[in-house]
């Protein structure tokens, strides 16, 4: 049975994929990448953290990685449909991948009513605020260490690519 790919049907599809992933022992997240012009589904991915042990294997990251393996270097010209508003890691990845539009089913608040995926240094609803703090005030301990020439790799890259 074929149905028209609308934002509602594709976002609902991400929810269905997430439900299936939970049934199979995974986490409740899925991502669908669609060509914006043709409406063709380019890729579907689910969160693979539980299955792989890779804490970065969120649905959006998995989709981006698997599309990269097929030669796609970004998501320009694409729309992304996901189960919930992206976590900061996935949000950052989506900013780098630069899709034309992101659609999501559950807000952070809706997700947080039923699911907590925080860790030692953050909770789901406070994680976004953590990024806005100066490094010295973030919960994750970090220290800048003095080295001889910390900007050497960046200058070299710029001289080889931009200059």
């Amino acid at each position: 049975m074929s149905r028209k790919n609308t934002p509602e049907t594709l976002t609902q599809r991400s929810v269905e994929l997430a439900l299936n992933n939970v049934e199979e022992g995974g986490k409740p997240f899925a991502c669908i990448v669609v060509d914006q012009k043709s409406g063709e589904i380019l890729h579907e991915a689910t969160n693979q953290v539980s299955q792989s042990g890779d804490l970065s294997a969120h649905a959006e990251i998995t989709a981006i990685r698997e599309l990269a393996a097929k030669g796609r270097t970004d998501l320009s010209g694409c729309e992304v449909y996901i189960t919930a508003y992206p976590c900061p890691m996935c949000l950052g990845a989506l900013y780098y991948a630069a899709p034309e539009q992101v659609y999501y089913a559950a807000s952070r608040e809706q997700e947080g009513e039923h699911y907590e995926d925080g860790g030692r240094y953050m909770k789901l609803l406070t994680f976004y605020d953590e990024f806005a703090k100066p490094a010295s005030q973030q919960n994750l301990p970090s220290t800048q260490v003095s080295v001889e020439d910390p900007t050497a790799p960046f200058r070299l890259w710029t001289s080889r690519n931009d200059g």
Side-chain angles (χ1 to χ4, degrees), residues 34-82:
V34 175
D35 182 272
Q36 187 179 40
K37 288 186 175 146
S38 71
E40 174 191 358
I41 294 175
L42 301 176
H43 198 70
E44 294 181 337
T46 56
N47 181 300
Q48 295 295 299
V49 171
S50 295
Q51 296 92 324
S52 70
D54 177 354
L55 295 175
S56 68
H58 290 202
E60 298 91 330
I61 304 287
T62 299
I64 291 167
R65 286 177 180 162
E66 290 173 351
L67 283 166
K70 296 176 182 177
R72 185 163 198 110
T73 59
D74 65 25
L75 298 182
S76 60
C78 296
E79 296 173 339
V80 174
Y81 297 85
I82 51 181

Side-chain angles (χ1 to χ4, degrees), residues 110-126:
Q110 289 171 315
E111 175 188 351
E113 290 175 16
H114 307 282
Y115 183 80
E116 174 56 58
D117 199 20
R120 189 167 85 174
Y121 298 118
M122 55 69 178
K123 297 292 177 212
L124 182 63
L125 291 177
T126 62

Side-chain angles (χ1 to χ4, degrees), residues 17-33:
L17 289 169
L19 287 167
N20 289 340
N21 201 44
V22 170
E23 290 291 333
E24 295 172 2
K27 293 191 176 203
F29 303 97
C31 176
I32 301 170
V33 179

